[in-house]
Amino acid sequence: MAEVDDDALPASVKLVDCLPDLDNLLNRHISSARWDGITGEELVEYIFDLFGDAPNIDAPIETWIKSNLPKASPGTPGKQFQADPKKTKYRNTLKAGSNSMASIILCNRILMGGDKVGHFFQLGYRIYHRKKGNNPTHTREVIEDQSIAAWRAYKNYEFGKISDAILDGGARIIARKTGVTSPPKFVQTQWNHGKEMGSFGIRATGVYSPADIAANNAGARFYTDLAKLKGGKISLARYIDRTWNESVNCNKYAANVGTRVWENLLLHRNWVLQMDTASHDRKVHANCTFLKKANTFEAALSILGKPPEGSLTLSPVYKKDAKGLIEGITLSGPWSYKGESGLMTIKSSRECWIKGTWGTGQSNQNGGDCLLFM
């Protein structure tokens, strides 16, 4: 399984859209299948085997992207960029390994991780069949779940639970194959949620990605169309949209990952503070360089590289959903600029967009609007 940091693409790196490459690869295999008389449901299985049937977790198409698309670097355009894990928002987390990071690609003019294409072909196939009342990957899904359980037991030195995970998984597989248990009623939203809370998200990486879910659902539509395809070509363009971008369709995180992600974002990205008066006049437009001191984030405010003329001292409060996953941040505290001072409170709507109000004296709202962005 892999995660991606869409905002880790340096400004000096140019990505070329890889949609033609993926479309050409897909349609080449579809054409080959037709020559062999493969259509309908057989074509669905044929394409899944080539693009989505993962020997481990990552789908074959993810491996193809990493191995075959030209790599971009500063000054050299390419079709994928592998960010240095230490320069991503996942630095100093369990996700900061080189093998755990997906390539950043541009596809159908959307910046995304190559893992989204993997979700499209891999989990989209599972949804397609579950909606038809089938579950051909049940054994595989049990193995995925129990492998994660065994890995977590090993990591926590709970060695007795490793055998428990293996035995439980075996019992589930046998019970289904012998008809002792039946597939539960399939509800697509619940199934997607379970995957992101389980072996494709929180339990494995601490990351819950709505963008993964968007790719899963698009994949199911693709396989439905593929089964009906009588001739001609098919393009992934009809399935890919902005919801595949994690900067737009933002992640949620387990608490231990989310606090670190937000710390990395604040300390290691380039932020700009904009403060407007109630009459919409621009009061401040300054670069922010954050440092962490105890439980606060402090920033010097400077314009065009000049010596700092102001500061921020902001305390974080993490917004959590009903499951306790971190889905945002609120920053509040004092500001000062050119002899003036007051308070501000800003709340994130995206990981690159934290907006709220500022005030003077002991107020955090009598001055106007403010925005911290990168």
Side-chain angles (χ1 to χ4, degrees):
M1 68 213 68
E3 300 297 344
V4 69
D5 182 357
D6 294 329
D7 290 322
L9 182 71
S12 58
V13 173
K14 176 179 174 56
L15 285 178
V16 178
D17 202 308
C18 68
L19 177 65
D21 301 80
L22 296 179
D23 277 354
N24 288 339
L25 179 68
L26 174 61
N27 285 293
R28 188 165 68 246
H29 284 295
I30 290 175
S31 177
S32 176
R34 286 196 184 116
W35 274 105
D36 293 331
I38 298 173
T39 59
E41 294 298 332
E42 289 186 351
L43 182 58
V44 167
E45 301 304 317
Y46 180 83
I47 293 300
F48 170 70
D49 287 344
L50 291 172
F51 287 75
D53 191 9
N56 297 306
I57 288 288
D58 292 346
I61 188 62
E62 295 178 60
T63 303
W64 185 91
I65 287 171
K66 283 188 174 182
S67 301
N68 291 276
L69 290 183
K71 293 179 172 61
S73 60
T76 303
K79 297 183 179 180
Q80 64 161 312
F81 178 74
Q82 188 67 51
D84 180 350
K86 295 179 181 179
K87 295 181 180 180
T88 73
K89 62 185 177 183
Y90 296 113
R91 60 183 289 162
N92 298 324
T93 73
L94 293 176
K95 290 312 303 161
S98 59
N99 292 330
S100 63
M101 299 300 297
S103 295
I104 302 173
I105 61 174
L106 183 70
C107 190
N108 197 32
R109 297 174 293 180
I110 306 296
L111 197 66
M112 68 178 75
D115 62 312
K116 300 299 174 284
V117 186
H119 274 264
F120 177 84
F121 283 105
Q122 184 179 9
L123 275 75
Y125 170 87
R126 298 182 185 183
I127 295 173
Y128 167 75
H129 272 294
R130 292 297 292 272
K131 292 176 74 172
K132 290 164 60 69
N134 306 321
N135 190 9
T137 60
H138 174 260
T139 297
R140 175 54 194 266
E141 293 183 44
V142 171
I143 292 173
E144 289 169 355
D145 292 341
Q146 300 311 119
S147 296
I148 294 297
W151 173 74
R152 289 171 67 90
Y154 174 80
K155 185 183 69 171
N156 294 326
Y157 302 101
E158 298 171 331
F159 300 116
K161 292 184 178 181
I162 297 176
S163 59
D164 292 343
I166 296 172
L167 292 172
D168 179 61
R172 288 172 58 190
I173 292 169
I174 292 171
R176 182 64 58 82
K177 285 186 175 295
T178 57
V180 174
T181 61
S182 300
K185 180 181 178 182
F186 180 67
V187 180
Q188 189 166 335
T189 54
Q190 294 178 3
W191 186 90
N192 274 319
H193 176 70
K195 289 303 176 188
E196 285 301 315
M197 291 298 293
S199 54
F200 281 83
I202 292 297
R203 287 183 66 196
T205 67
V207 180
Y208 184 109
S209 172
D212 286 353
I213 293 175
N216 296 347
N217 293 336
R221 297 194 301 273
F222 161 78
Y223 282 112
T224 299
D225 293 342
L226 185 65
K228 300 175 182 177
L229 191 64
K230 301 302 183 183
K233 296 182 178 181
I234 193 168
S235 175
L236 298 183
R238 72 174 71 173
Y239 307 102
I240 297 172
D241 60 27
R242 294 177 72 246
T243 61
W244 290 33
N245 179 292
E246 292 187 356
S247 295
V248 174
N249 202 2
C250 299
N251 293 338
K252 302 179 184 181
Y253 304 97
N256 63 322
V257 175
T259 53
R260 179 65 69 178
V261 164
W262 274 106
E263 180 177 316
N264 288 334
L265 288 170
L266 289 169
L267 298 182
H268 303 291
R269 296 291 166 88
N270 298 319
W271 291 92
V272 174
L273 176 69
Q274 184 174 293
M275 296 171 61
D276 293 336
T277 66
S279 58
H280 305 293
D281 293 326
R282 184 60 39 81
K283 181 179 182 65
V284 177
H285 186 89
N287 297 318
C288 300
T289 303
F290 279 100
L291 296 173
K292 187 176 182 182
K293 294 188 178 180
N295 295 320
T296 64
F297 294 97
E298 300 186 5
L301 304 181
S302 62
I303 299 176
L304 299 177
K306 296 179 181 178
E309 296 184 281
S311 65
L312 304 175
T313 303
L314 303 177
S315 299
V317 174
Y318 298 99
K319 180 184 177 183
K320 298 182 179 180
D321 69 4
K323 297 290 185 179
L325 302 182
I326 291 178
E327 59 181 0
I329 194 172
T330 297
L331 297 170
S332 58
W335 64 271
S336 67
Y337 188 73
K338 292 185 175 180
E340 296 186 72
S341 62
L343 302 175
M344 69 168 54
T345 298
I346 51 178
K347 300 179 181 181
S348 65
S349 57
R350 292 164 56 187
E351 290 178 358
C352 60
W353 196 263
I354 312 176
K355 187 176 182 180
T357 59
W358 63 275
T360 56
Q362 296 302 306
S363 174
N364 65 358
Q365 59 184 0
N366 65 2
D369 296 329
C370 59
L371 173 65
L372 187 66
F373 66 96
M374 62 176 174

